[in-house]
Amino acid sequence: MDEKVTREIFPRDSRKSYGLVELMKKTAPIVKKEPEDTVYVWPNLLMIEIICAILVTVGLMVLIQFEHAPLRSLADPSTTPNPMRAPWYFLGLQELLVYFDPWYAGVVLPGMIIAGLMLFPYLDVNPKGVGYYTYSERKFAVFNYSFGFAIWWITIVIGTYLRGLDWQWYWPWSNHLEHMNPALVTLIPLHLIFVNWFHVSEGVGKLFGDIIFIGYFALGTIIPMIIWKPMYKAMGLWRYLTFSFFFLSMMGVALKIVLRLLFNIKYVLVTPWINI
Amino acid sequence: MLQKIKNEIVESQIFKSVFRHGYPDNDLDRAYAIFSSVFLHIHPVKVRRSALRMRYTFCLGGITLFLFIILSVTGIWLMFYYTPYTGLAYRNIKDLQFVIFGGNLMRDLHRFAAHGMVLFVWLHMTRVFLTGAYKAPREFNWIVGVVLLVNTLVLSWTGYLLPWDQLAYWAVTVGAKMASYTPLIGQNGPWGPQLGFLPTNDIMFMLLGGTVVGQNALIRFYVLHCVVLPLVVTVFLAVHFWRIRKDGFSGPL
Ligand code: HEM
């Protein structure tokens, strides 16, 4: 498509304060695209926009016949509702509080999600698949986006339907009025498991945890570098390291959810300042 | 006859002072209609026929914009009846529910359009992602988009406090508590206390204007929700649309 652009007569040059717009035959000022087969925005596109707007309005009008904006009793600092649910779009983050300490689930992780989203265009070096839907030409990128938002939506569903009093796990058929016995689930930091298994001191157990944590990031970064050399070459060192950090962190969230739900592991990394 | 009335109107001095073109029934006036209007000129004059295909954008960005417009209109309407004072806010909402004509309609519309905007901004982002529209040269517009996404979420959250009911109060209390866990600058965050951050000077205090959600928090959220954030969204939307025109639209346009 690009080759067909009319020849640029006066190239852009910082010593000149003017540029010259290219000249084309036909009647459509679309840059770097052929002018064929175009239609006027008025009325063609405007009509579509108006139809969309009408459909949305009708949809909203129908919806509010069945459902109304909620209003509970007056705010009362002395009675906390139980369970206390955030609005649905933040329920995923609230649910993550089960798996991570608040500084991580509530602050660092949201920050990393935003940063990761913003960096995505700079980390994805695959030039293919612009302007049409394709999975086969960019499997890995689609996988990353889908995986991240799968966690986002699954935790929202868990928070909405599977959490009850005291934010405990309630099946739809459980009695939602009865408190669960918190003693049913005892959470243990990973290092205590090592202490039990290998009869080592607590310090050594913690060291195992640290090694697993650091090893996860180190090996997770180095192994793909060797196995998928072309990918690493295409990305370059810094882009690859940034990507690897975000990718492993995202996978880490999923791993931690599994560790916590299946094995009741509370922390992997235990330090005097932070625990993860 | 109708033709004559139309001509009278279109040729009148008043009409010509407002619209510098005739009725868009010919190509020249169709072009003028778009680029001489401040509202319509975010469009190109012509688009490819294939760009009209709904199955590319599904109109998701447009729907998000339309929901934002609905929110602005209903929101301003609600502002006429709302006082950001803890002693009155809840009663104002009750009045909207039971006394004021159209109160329920406007409040419901505002609430569900807000939910809808969060949903559609996500759907729009997913469409942009799946069509690779974030790749060069549109990387920056994707960043602008993420700013819009975050702003949409924060707008919803700040609005959540305003009815001053149990739902509002506790959602914001829990959310604000998160801020106190911010590393380095939160009273409960790692290294926060060591650096001298207390309940009376940390980031949560700054957000709420106090140690608990009270009158100061309400006025802060009110100003953020009704003035600051909508303005920020509007400015970034202007950049967003400008960049779509400048970078070119990714689709089969
Ligand atoms: C307030 C929220 C937003 C509004 C009102 C909005 C509106 C729009 C509109 C009307 C378009 C034209 C095409 C279409 O309808 O799909 C568009 C395109 C685009 N949007 Fe958004 N948007 C918003 C948020 C976002 C977000 C969250 C992202 C991504 C993170 C994003 C990224 C883009 C990009 C990259 C394009 C260019 C697409 C292309 O060339 O195919 N926008 N936006």
Side-chain angles (χ1 to χ4, degrees), chain B residues 27-51:
Chain B
D27 287 355
L28 182 63
D29 284 333
R30 282 192 188 117
Y32 269 122
I34 299 296
F35 69 69
S36 67
S37 156
V38 66
F39 300 109
L40 295 179
H41 90 279
I42 60 171
H43 299 101
V45 168
K46 292 182 95 180
V47 293
R48 301 215 135 197
R49 189 178 298 283
S50 51

PDB file of all heavy atoms in Angstrom, chain B residues 27-51:
ATOM      1  N   ASP B  27     -21.813  17.023  -3.031  1.00  0.00           N
ATOM      2  CA  ASP B  27     -20.533  16.640  -2.453  1.00  0.00           C
ATOM      3  C   ASP B  27     -19.798  17.797  -1.798  1.00  0.00           C
ATOM      4  O   ASP B  27     -19.199  17.642  -0.732  1.00  0.00           O
ATOM      5  CB  ASP B  27     -19.644  15.998  -3.532  1.00  0.00           C
ATOM      6  CG  ASP B  27     -20.136  14.609  -3.871  1.00  0.00           C
ATOM      7  OD1 ASP B  27     -21.092  14.174  -3.187  1.00  0.00           O
ATOM      8  OD2 ASP B  27     -19.583  13.982  -4.779  1.00  0.00           O
ATOM      9  N   LEU B  28     -19.857  18.978  -2.419  1.00  0.00           N
ATOM     10  CA  LEU B  28     -19.130  20.099  -1.840  1.00  0.00           C
ATOM     11  C   LEU B  28     -19.689  20.447  -0.461  1.00  0.00           C
ATOM     12  O   LEU B  28     -18.952  20.589   0.517  1.00  0.00           O
ATOM     13  CB  LEU B  28     -19.215  21.313  -2.773  1.00  0.00           C
ATOM     14  CG  LEU B  28     -18.445  22.519  -2.263  1.00  0.00           C
ATOM     15  CD1 LEU B  28     -16.956  22.187  -2.187  1.00  0.00           C
ATOM     16  CD2 LEU B  28     -18.673  23.730  -3.162  1.00  0.00           C
ATOM     17  N   ASP B  29     -21.005  20.536  -0.377  1.00  0.00           N
ATOM     18  CA  ASP B  29     -21.601  20.889   0.911  1.00  0.00           C
ATOM     19  C   ASP B  29     -21.447  19.778   1.932  1.00  0.00           C
ATOM     20  O   ASP B  29     -21.348  20.029   3.135  1.00  0.00           O
ATOM     21  CB  ASP B  29     -23.073  21.243   0.716  1.00  0.00           C
ATOM     22  CG  ASP B  29     -23.230  22.635   0.113  1.00  0.00           C
ATOM     23  OD1 ASP B  29     -22.312  23.449   0.330  1.00  0.00           O
ATOM     24  OD2 ASP B  29     -24.234  22.893  -0.569  1.00  0.00           O
ATOM     25  N   ARG B  30     -21.408  18.529   1.483  1.00  0.00           N
ATOM     26  CA  ARG B  30     -21.171  17.425   2.418  1.00  0.00           C
ATOM     27  C   ARG B  30     -19.781  17.567   3.040  1.00  0.00           C
ATOM     28  O   ARG B  30     -19.598  17.336   4.220  1.00  0.00           O
ATOM     29  CB  ARG B  30     -21.267  16.079   1.703  1.00  0.00           C
ATOM     30  CG  ARG B  30     -22.691  15.670   1.458  1.00  0.00           C
ATOM     31  CD  ARG B  30     -22.788  14.230   1.032  1.00  0.00           C
ATOM     32  NE  ARG B  30     -24.167  13.969   0.633  1.00  0.00           N
ATOM     33  CZ  ARG B  30     -24.532  13.622  -0.584  1.00  0.00           C
ATOM     34  NH1 ARG B  30     -23.628  13.421  -1.527  1.00  0.00           N
ATOM     35  NH2 ARG B  30     -25.799  13.430  -0.870  1.00  0.00           N
ATOM     36  N   ALA B  31     -18.837  17.962   2.209  1.00  0.00           N
ATOM     37  CA  ALA B  31     -17.493  18.154   2.731  1.00  0.00           C
ATOM     38  C   ALA B  31     -17.471  19.313   3.713  1.00  0.00           C
ATOM     39  O   ALA B  31     -16.964  19.203   4.824  1.00  0.00           O
ATOM     40  CB  ALA B  31     -16.525  18.412   1.589  1.00  0.00           C
ATOM     41  N   TYR B  32     -18.105  20.440   3.303  1.00  0.00           N
ATOM     42  CA  TYR B  32     -18.139  21.604   4.198  1.00  0.00           C
ATOM     43  C   TYR B  32     -18.822  21.270   5.516  1.00  0.00           C
ATOM     44  O   TYR B  32     -18.399  21.702   6.581  1.00  0.00           O
ATOM     45  CB  TYR B  32     -18.888  22.751   3.520  1.00  0.00           C
ATOM     46  CG  TYR B  32     -17.986  23.667   2.727  1.00  0.00           C
ATOM     47  CD1 TYR B  32     -18.187  23.882   1.365  1.00  0.00           C
ATOM     48  CD2 TYR B  32     -16.951  24.345   3.364  1.00  0.00           C
ATOM     49  CE1 TYR B  32     -17.367  24.720   0.647  1.00  0.00           C
ATOM     50  CE2 TYR B  32     -16.132  25.192   2.646  1.00  0.00           C
ATOM     51  CZ  TYR B  32     -16.335  25.381   1.291  1.00  0.00           C
ATOM     52  OH  TYR B  32     -15.522  26.209   0.596  1.00  0.00           O
ATOM     53  N   ALA B  33     -19.903  20.489   5.436  1.00  0.00           N
ATOM     54  CA  ALA B  33     -20.676  20.185   6.640  1.00  0.00           C
ATOM     55  C   ALA B  33     -19.792  19.541   7.688  1.00  0.00           C
ATOM     56  O   ALA B  33     -19.952  19.777   8.889  1.00  0.00           O
ATOM     57  CB  ALA B  33     -21.835  19.260   6.299  1.00  0.00           C
ATOM     58  N   ILE B  34     -18.844  18.747   7.238  1.00  0.00           N
ATOM     59  CA  ILE B  34     -17.979  18.084   8.202  1.00  0.00           C
ATOM     60  C   ILE B  34     -16.875  19.016   8.687  1.00  0.00           C
ATOM     61  O   ILE B  34     -16.720  19.256   9.885  1.00  0.00           O
ATOM     62  CB  ILE B  34     -17.349  16.808   7.595  1.00  0.00           C
ATOM     63  CG1 ILE B  34     -18.430  15.817   7.212  1.00  0.00           C
ATOM     64  CG2 ILE B  34     -16.370  16.181   8.565  1.00  0.00           C
ATOM     65  CD1 ILE B  34     -19.229  15.281   8.340  1.00  0.00           C
ATOM     66  N   PHE B  35     -16.130  19.614   7.753  1.00  0.00           N
ATOM     67  CA  PHE B  35     -14.937  20.284   8.272  1.00  0.00           C
ATOM     68  C   PHE B  35     -15.166  21.730   8.680  1.00  0.00           C
ATOM     69  O   PHE B  35     -14.271  22.364   9.190  1.00  0.00           O
ATOM     70  CB  PHE B  35     -13.723  20.099   7.354  1.00  0.00           C
ATOM     71  CG  PHE B  35     -13.770  20.785   6.023  1.00  0.00           C
ATOM     72  CD1 PHE B  35     -13.707  22.167   5.933  1.00  0.00           C
ATOM     73  CD2 PHE B  35     -13.818  20.032   4.859  1.00  0.00           C
ATOM     74  CE1 PHE B  35     -13.710  22.781   4.704  1.00  0.00           C
ATOM     75  CE2 PHE B  35     -13.831  20.644   3.630  1.00  0.00           C
ATOM     76  CZ  PHE B  35     -13.776  22.033   3.544  1.00  0.00           C
ATOM     77  N   SER B  36     -16.383  22.258   8.492  1.00  0.00           N
ATOM     78  CA  SER B  36     -16.600  23.600   9.024  1.00  0.00           C
ATOM     79  C   SER B  36     -17.340  23.546  10.357  1.00  0.00           C
ATOM     80  O   SER B  36     -17.679  24.570  10.921  1.00  0.00           O
ATOM     81  CB  SER B  36     -17.359  24.455   8.013  1.00  0.00           C
ATOM     82  OG  SER B  36     -18.661  23.965   7.866  1.00  0.00           O
ATOM     83  N   SER B  37     -17.585  22.340  10.877  1.00  0.00           N
ATOM     84  CA  SER B  37     -18.264  22.243  12.164  1.00  0.00           C
ATOM     85  C   SER B  37     -17.273  21.780  13.227  1.00  0.00           C
ATOM     86  O   SER B  37     -16.556  20.801  13.035  1.00  0.00           O
ATOM     87  CB  SER B  37     -19.407  21.226  12.079  1.00  0.00           C
ATOM     88  OG  SER B  37     -19.686  20.728  13.366  1.00  0.00           O
ATOM     89  N   VAL B  38     -17.253  22.500  14.337  1.00  0.00           N
ATOM     90  CA  VAL B  38     -16.309  22.128  15.389  1.00  0.00           C
ATOM     91  C   VAL B  38     -16.641  20.736  15.922  1.00  0.00           C
ATOM     92  O   VAL B  38     -15.768  19.996  16.351  1.00  0.00           O
ATOM     93  CB  VAL B  38     -16.288  23.187  16.510  1.00  0.00           C
ATOM     94  CG1 VAL B  38     -17.625  23.239  17.233  1.00  0.00           C
ATOM     95  CG2 VAL B  38     -15.181  22.912  17.499  1.00  0.00           C
ATOM     96  N   PHE B  39     -17.914  20.357  15.888  1.00  0.00           N
ATOM     97  CA  PHE B  39     -18.282  19.059  16.448  1.00  0.00           C
ATOM     98  C   PHE B  39     -18.022  17.919  15.460  1.00  0.00           C
ATOM     99  O   PHE B  39     -17.597  16.848  15.835  1.00  0.00           O
ATOM    100  CB  PHE B  39     -19.759  19.058  16.845  1.00  0.00           C
ATOM    101  CG  PHE B  39     -20.062  20.097  17.868  1.00  0.00           C
ATOM    102  CD1 PHE B  39     -20.795  21.229  17.541  1.00  0.00           C
ATOM    103  CD2 PHE B  39     -19.575  19.972  19.158  1.00  0.00           C
ATOM    104  CE1 PHE B  39     -21.046  22.198  18.482  1.00  0.00           C
ATOM    105  CE2 PHE B  39     -19.827  20.943  20.109  1.00  0.00           C
ATOM    106  CZ  PHE B  39     -20.567  22.067  19.768  1.00  0.00           C
ATOM    107  N   LEU B  40     -18.304  18.186  14.186  1.00  0.00           N
ATOM    108  CA  LEU B  40     -18.192  17.097  13.223  1.00  0.00           C
ATOM    109  C   LEU B  40     -16.781  16.955  12.663  1.00  0.00           C
ATOM    110  O   LEU B  40     -16.453  15.931  12.087  1.00  0.00           O
ATOM    111  CB  LEU B  40     -19.185  17.308  12.078  1.00  0.00           C
ATOM    112  CG  LEU B  40     -20.652  17.244  12.499  1.00  0.00           C
ATOM    113  CD1 LEU B  40     -21.570  17.494  11.310  1.00  0.00           C
ATOM    114  CD2 LEU B  40     -20.972  15.894  13.123  1.00  0.00           C
ATOM    115  N   HIS B  41     -15.944  17.975  12.824  1.00  0.00           N
ATOM    116  CA  HIS B  41     -14.676  17.919  12.115  1.00  0.00           C
ATOM    117  C   HIS B  41     -13.683  16.944  12.740  1.00  0.00           C
ATOM    118  O   HIS B  41     -12.580  16.790  12.249  1.00  0.00           O
ATOM    119  CB  HIS B  41     -14.044  19.307  11.987  1.00  0.00           C
ATOM    120  CG  HIS B  41     -13.146  19.694  13.112  1.00  0.00           C
ATOM    121  ND1 HIS B  41     -13.596  20.176  14.306  1.00  0.00           N
ATOM    122  CD2 HIS B  41     -11.809  19.667  13.227  1.00  0.00           C
ATOM    123  CE1 HIS B  41     -12.589  20.425  15.091  1.00  0.00           C
ATOM    124  NE2 HIS B  41     -11.484  20.127  14.480  1.00  0.00           N
ATOM    125  N   ILE B  42     -14.083  16.261  13.841  1.00  0.00           N
ATOM    126  CA  ILE B  42     -13.231  15.154  14.281  1.00  0.00           C
ATOM    127  C   ILE B  42     -13.293  14.007  13.272  1.00  0.00           C
ATOM    128  O   ILE B  42     -12.477  13.111  13.303  1.00  0.00           O
ATOM    129  CB  ILE B  42     -13.595  14.622  15.690  1.00  0.00           C
ATOM    130  CG1 ILE B  42     -15.019  14.116  15.720  1.00  0.00           C
ATOM    131  CG2 ILE B  42     -13.370  15.676  16.732  1.00  0.00           C
ATOM    132  CD1 ILE B  42     -15.348  13.400  17.014  1.00  0.00           C
ATOM    133  N   HIS B  43     -14.260  14.061  12.377  1.00  0.00           N
ATOM    134  CA  HIS B  43     -14.299  13.065  11.298  1.00  0.00           C
ATOM    135  C   HIS B  43     -13.477  13.539  10.114  1.00  0.00           C
ATOM    136  O   HIS B  43     -13.357  14.728   9.890  1.00  0.00           O
ATOM    137  CB  HIS B  43     -15.737  12.877  10.785  1.00  0.00           C
ATOM    138  CG  HIS B  43     -16.696  12.384  11.784  1.00  0.00           C
ATOM    139  ND1 HIS B  43     -17.591  13.214  12.426  1.00  0.00           N
ATOM    140  CD2 HIS B  43     -16.923  11.152  12.265  1.00  0.00           C
ATOM    141  CE1 HIS B  43     -18.324  12.503  13.243  1.00  0.00           C
ATOM    142  NE2 HIS B  43     -17.941  11.249  13.183  1.00  0.00           N
ATOM    143  N   PRO B  44     -12.985  12.592   9.330  1.00  0.00           N
ATOM    144  CA  PRO B  44     -12.511  12.982   8.005  1.00  0.00           C
ATOM    145  C   PRO B  44     -13.737  13.274   7.139  1.00  0.00           C
ATOM    146  O   PRO B  44     -14.867  12.936   7.506  1.00  0.00           O
ATOM    147  CB  PRO B  44     -11.773  11.746   7.499  1.00  0.00           C
ATOM    148  CG  PRO B  44     -12.071  10.646   8.447  1.00  0.00           C
ATOM    149  CD  PRO B  44     -12.851  11.162   9.591  1.00  0.00           C
ATOM    150  N   VAL B  45     -13.500  13.899   5.993  1.00  0.00           N
ATOM    151  CA  VAL B  45     -14.628  14.194   5.118  1.00  0.00           C
ATOM    152  C   VAL B  45     -15.141  12.927   4.447  1.00  0.00           C
ATOM    153  O   VAL B  45     -16.331  12.724   4.282  1.00  0.00           O
ATOM    154  CB  VAL B  45     -14.206  15.237   4.062  1.00  0.00           C
ATOM    155  CG1 VAL B  45     -15.257  15.340   2.967  1.00  0.00           C
ATOM    156  CG2 VAL B  45     -14.024  16.589   4.731  1.00  0.00           C
ATOM    157  N   LYS B  46     -14.170  12.099   4.081  1.00  0.00           N
ATOM    158  CA  LYS B  46     -14.563  10.844   3.443  1.00  0.00           C
ATOM    159  C   LYS B  46     -13.888   9.672   4.141  1.00  0.00           C
ATOM    160  O   LYS B  46     -12.790   9.820   4.661  1.00  0.00           O
ATOM    161  CB  LYS B  46     -14.127  10.850   1.968  1.00  0.00           C
ATOM    162  CG  LYS B  46     -14.864  11.845   1.119  1.00  0.00           C
ATOM    163  CD  LYS B  46     -14.404  11.741  -0.317  1.00  0.00           C
ATOM    164  CE  LYS B  46     -15.328  10.833  -1.103  1.00  0.00           C
ATOM    165  NZ  LYS B  46     -14.879  10.737  -2.510  1.00  0.00           N
ATOM    166  N   VAL B  47     -14.546   8.559   4.139  1.00  0.00           N
ATOM    167  CA  VAL B  47     -13.918   7.346   4.651  1.00  0.00           C
ATOM    168  C   VAL B  47     -14.094   6.254   3.620  1.00  0.00           C
ATOM    169  O   VAL B  47     -14.948   6.340   2.748  1.00  0.00           O
ATOM    170  CB  VAL B  47     -14.531   6.888   5.994  1.00  0.00           C
ATOM    171  CG1 VAL B  47     -14.221   7.875   7.083  1.00  0.00           C
ATOM    172  CG2 VAL B  47     -16.021   6.675   5.854  1.00  0.00           C
ATOM    173  N   ARG B  48     -13.278   5.225   3.765  1.00  0.00           N
ATOM    174  CA  ARG B  48     -13.434   4.101   2.851  1.00  0.00           C
ATOM    175  C   ARG B  48     -14.765   3.429   3.109  1.00  0.00           C
ATOM    176  O   ARG B  48     -15.206   3.340   4.238  1.00  0.00           O
ATOM    177  CB  ARG B  48     -12.328   3.072   3.098  1.00  0.00           C
ATOM    178  CG  ARG B  48     -10.977   3.641   2.911  1.00  0.00           C
ATOM    179  CD  ARG B  48     -10.087   2.606   2.336  1.00  0.00           C
ATOM    180  NE  ARG B  48      -9.337   3.234   1.272  1.00  0.00           N
ATOM    181  CZ  ARG B  48      -8.688   2.558   0.343  1.00  0.00           C
ATOM    182  NH1 ARG B  48      -8.700   1.257   0.366  1.00  0.00           N
ATOM    183  NH2 ARG B  48      -8.019   3.189  -0.564  1.00  0.00           N
ATOM    184  N   ARG B  49     -15.321   2.920   2.052  1.00  0.00           N
ATOM    185  CA  ARG B  49     -16.590   2.230   2.222  1.00  0.00           C
ATOM    186  C   ARG B  49     -16.463   1.100   3.242  1.00  0.00           C
ATOM    187  O   ARG B  49     -17.328   0.892   4.079  1.00  0.00           O
ATOM    188  CB  ARG B  49     -17.037   1.669   0.871  1.00  0.00           C
ATOM    189  CG  ARG B  49     -18.440   1.128   0.865  1.00  0.00           C
ATOM    190  CD  ARG B  49     -18.820   0.639  -0.518  1.00  0.00           C
ATOM    191  NE  ARG B  49     -18.814   1.719  -1.511  1.00  0.00           N
ATOM    192  CZ  ARG B  49     -19.774   2.617  -1.615  1.00  0.00           C
ATOM    193  NH1 ARG B  49     -20.794   2.573  -0.810  1.00  0.00           N
ATOM    194  NH2 ARG B  49     -19.712   3.565  -2.525  1.00  0.00           N
ATOM    195  N   SER B  50     -15.309   0.411   3.174  1.00  0.00           N
ATOM    196  CA  SER B  50     -15.150  -0.733   4.076  1.00  0.00           C
ATOM    197  C   SER B  50     -15.051  -0.306   5.538  1.00  0.00           C
ATOM    198  O   SER B  50     -15.296  -1.099   6.431  1.00  0.00           O
ATOM    199  CB  SER B  50     -13.905  -1.522   3.693  1.00  0.00           C
ATOM    200  OG  SER B  50     -12.805  -0.641   3.597  1.00  0.00           O
ATOM    201  N   ALA B  51     -14.695   0.975   5.794  1.00  0.00           N
ATOM    202  CA  ALA B  51     -14.590   1.415   7.183  1.00  0.00           C
ATOM    203  C   ALA B  51     -15.952   1.465   7.849  1.00  0.00           C
ATOM    204  O   ALA B  51     -16.067   1.539   9.057  1.00  0.00           O
ATOM    205  CB  ALA B  51     -13.953   2.791   7.258  1.00  0.00           C
TER     206      ALA B  51
END
